[in-house]
Amino acid sequence: MNNNFKKLTLAAAIAAVAFTGQAQAGGYQINEQSVSGQGYGHAGRSSNVNDATIVFGNPAGMSFLDRAQVTAGGTYLNVNSDIRNVEASRTLDAGVAMGGAPAGVQVPIGGVPGTNDGDMVPGALVPFAFYAQPVNERLAFGFGVYAPFGAKTDYENDFQGRYFGDYTEVTVISAQPTVSYRFNDQWAVGVGITYNSVDGELRRQLPTDPSFNPTGDIDSRVEGDDDGWGYNIGVIYQPVPETTLGLTYRSKVDYTLTGDFRAYDPAGNVVLADDASLDLTTPETVNFSITQEMTDRLKLMAGASWVRWSRFDQILVTGSQGDTITQEIQNYSNAWAYALGGEYQLNSQLALRAGITLDFTPSDDEYRSVRIPSDDRRIFSIGAGWSPTDDLTLDFAYSYLTERGTSVSQERSDLLASDATGGVPIGGASYSADYKNEVHGFGAQLTYRF
């Protein structure tokens, strides 16, 4: 294959995969913004006021805190995946296989050798920090830094599905100044403004010879970033002192990601460099929860969350000249999550917690990718809060997440860009496998009151 032919092929192949992981990362909404809330499965996220993490859960809740406090902590996530029943194959145009121009006939050239270790998600710590400052009995201010979205998959070098994506890393960090006001004993409202920064790196491999030796693959990469503004609004209503209802709305955030494409041959030389941009919108969410004090020691909580994932109907990537590089259908659906939990105050120093969460996937079976091979989740959580003094509380939690077994089935064609033909298929790849994922989450946080 001559060098010009290779470059044109790479241009279309990399463009077609460039930003897939960005949209798929939306399916990995991060819930780790409170370890005290993690203990009861975040069932009372909008209604249960424990500490300064309510800045995220429901900004209206700050006005229910009796004094200034800071809360900081994080959750370490350990992910295990099992990949089975793998099938991977590749076809090549007959003319290209013989070293010439496309002849229009696709010929199978065997399976794709490689491995499927299933350890593609590295362990990660998700940190957060919040501060809340009551001004008087009605007014309070706060600030928080946290991660609302994020995903990372890092497959082994000879992963059999490497032609669909072998590395994905997307991180969103949010900073949120917040104010709340309590009108009376029953009603309170809060508003937060969020500054959000998104950063990501995506990689995919492209074979250069029919033997599919991983050491001979072209390594295609894209990096991109942007920032955007959003907001959230919260309301708390207490019809009686023992019952608290909370409602929180988080806005969408609009981004225009700009990225740099680079493709490296096995010797490390850059064989392609280009620019691309993508208009991306992370979806709005609504959370409702209720906290009911059953006795002086026992509280029960229930909550529901809705996410407008239907905004991910397609990905449209444009090149440096404003031309359409790729247009890919995502077909995400709006999704719900439900949680039940409880907290028992064993004594003046120790509170015990437990909860269960059902989290339904927004992804479509037809378009599920090796980058984010996720499905419906069940999450079981336990936790405890220890207050050795009135000023200090240490919270700990453990969660076990198990996903429904799911399947990935992908096919793609690599194109030779041509002014005359508008793109000629020169070959294709396929990969299918069954995935089973589980996650262990270990959380710890500290709250200090002033």
Side-chain angles (χ1 to χ4, degrees):
M1 188 182 298
N2 63 61
N3 193 50
N4 289 334
F5 186 90
K6 180 190 298 182
K7 289 182 180 180
L8 290 172
T9 303
L10 284 169
I14 297 171
V17 74
F19 284 93
T20 300
Q22 298 284 7
Q24 292 286 353
Y28 261 30
Q29 184 180 20
I30 294 177
N31 286 322
E32 284 71 32
Q33 296 89 17
S34 171
V35 173
S36 53
Q38 179 187 346
Y40 46 77
H42 302 291
R45 168 160 276 171
S46 294
S47 57
N48 197 47
V49 183
N50 267 326
D51 45 52
T53 62
I54 198 65
V55 170
F56 175 86
N58 186 339
M62 292 190 305
S63 56
F64 288 81
L65 297 172
D66 58 358
R67 52 180 168 151
Q69 52 195 275
V70 60
T71 301
T75 298
Y76 179 81
L77 302 177
N78 180 39
V79 183
N80 300 313
S81 298
D82 183 39
I83 306 175
R84 299 187 180 185
N85 302 322
V86 177
E87 294 182 6
S89 63
R90 180 79 180 181
T91 61
L92 196 64
D93 184 275
V96 176
M98 299 300 294
V105 178
Q106 299 297 309
V107 294
I109 49 178
V112 178
T115 60
N116 295 273
D117 291 345
D119 59 352
M120 68 282 190
V121 182
L125 177 67
V126 183
F128 57 82
F130 298 95
Y131 176 75
Q133 173 69 63
V135 177
N136 52 45
E137 293 181 354
R138 297 185 181 274
L139 183 65
F141 293 94
F143 186 81
V145 179
Y146 54 88
F149 297 94
K152 184 173 183 178
T153 52
D154 185 6
Y155 289 91
E156 64 273 18
N157 291 336
D158 57 347
F159 169 55
Q160 279 186 277
R162 59 190 177 272
Y163 304 131
F164 297 89
D166 60 343
Y167 185 90
T168 303
E169 184 172 12
V170 180
T171 304
V172 178
I173 302 297
S174 298
Q176 177 187 319
T178 310
V179 61
S180 70
Y181 186 79
R182 188 170 181 175
F183 294 100
N184 50 45
D185 291 341
Q186 293 183 314
W187 289 97
V189 298
V191 178
I193 303 298
T194 63
Y195 169 76
N196 310 275
S197 175
V198 60
D199 181 79
E201 180 180 356
L202 306 168
R203 305 176 192 172
R204 184 177 81 84
Q205 303 300 305
L206 188 73
T208 58
D209 62 72
S211 68
F212 301 111
N213 184 347
T215 60
D217 288 341
I218 295 293
D219 185 10
S220 58
R221 304 185 179 193
V222 61
E223 297 183 29
D225 58 67
D226 193 28
D227 51 45
W229 293 89
Y231 64 91
N232 53 52
I233 300 173
V235 178
I236 284 183
Y237 173 57
Q238 282 190 329
V240 294
E242 296 79 17
T243 304
T244 303
L245 295 88
L247 180 67
T248 306
Y249 170 84
R250 304 182 209 286
S251 74
K252 67 177 183 177
V253 179
D254 295 319
Y255 302 97
T256 298
L257 284 83
T258 56
D260 295 324
F261 292 92
R262 296 291 184 270
Y264 302 88
D265 66 17
N269 301 310
V270 177
V271 295
L272 177 72
D274 198 2
D275 299 324
S277 65
L278 166 69
D279 290 333
L280 175 68
T281 299
T282 54
E284 55 266 64
T285 66
V286 179
N287 178 268
F288 171 79
S289 69
I290 180 171
T291 299
Q292 179 65 49
E293 294 185 13
M294 307 300 292
T295 69
D296 291 341
R297 292 175 178 257
L298 177 64
K299 290 191 293 186
L300 298 181
M301 290 152 278
S305 296
W306 177 83
V307 184
R308 192 180 179 183
W309 289 120
S310 59
R311 289 191 176 278
F312 288 112
D313 58 343
Q314 67 172 355
I315 302 171
L316 181 61
V317 183
T318 56
S320 55
Q321 303 303 314
D323 54 313
T324 298
I325 295 177
T326 186
Q327 186 174 17
E328 301 181 5
I329 304 301
Q330 296 299 302
N331 200 30
Y332 271 43
S333 300
N334 298 332
W336 286 88
Y338 305 95
L340 293 173
E343 179 179 275
Y344 184 76
Q345 192 71 41
L346 188 64
N347 53 48
S348 60
Q349 292 185 327
L350 185 62
L352 304 178
R353 306 175 182 122
I356 182 171
T357 305
L358 301 178
D359 190 358
F360 296 98
T361 183
S363 61
D364 188 289
D365 291 346
E366 182 179 354
Y367 300 104
R368 188 170 291 112
S369 167
V370 298
R371 293 189 181 275
I372 309 293
S374 184
D375 213 306
D376 296 340
R377 306 165 175 176
R378 291 171 296 170
I379 309 170
F380 306 92
S381 302
I382 57 173
W386 178 51
S387 301
T389 70
D390 292 339
D391 299 331
L392 177 67
T393 298
L394 301 174
D395 292 287
F396 304 93
Y398 166 75
S399 297
Y400 172 71
L401 181 155
T402 178
E403 286 189 356
R404 184 179 68 174
T406 193
S407 297
V408 170
S409 181
Q410 294 183 263
E411 295 182 358
R412 66 171 298 112
S413 293
D414 294 322
L415 300 178
L416 169 63
S418 168
D419 293 336
T421 65
V424 177
I426 65 164
S430 66
Y431 178 83
S432 64
D434 295 331
Y435 279 73
K436 185 69 171 70
N437 306 313
E438 64 176 16
V439 182
H440 301 273
F442 305 89
Q445 77 176 33
L446 180 149
T447 297
Y448 186 78
R449 302 171 186 86
F450 301 93

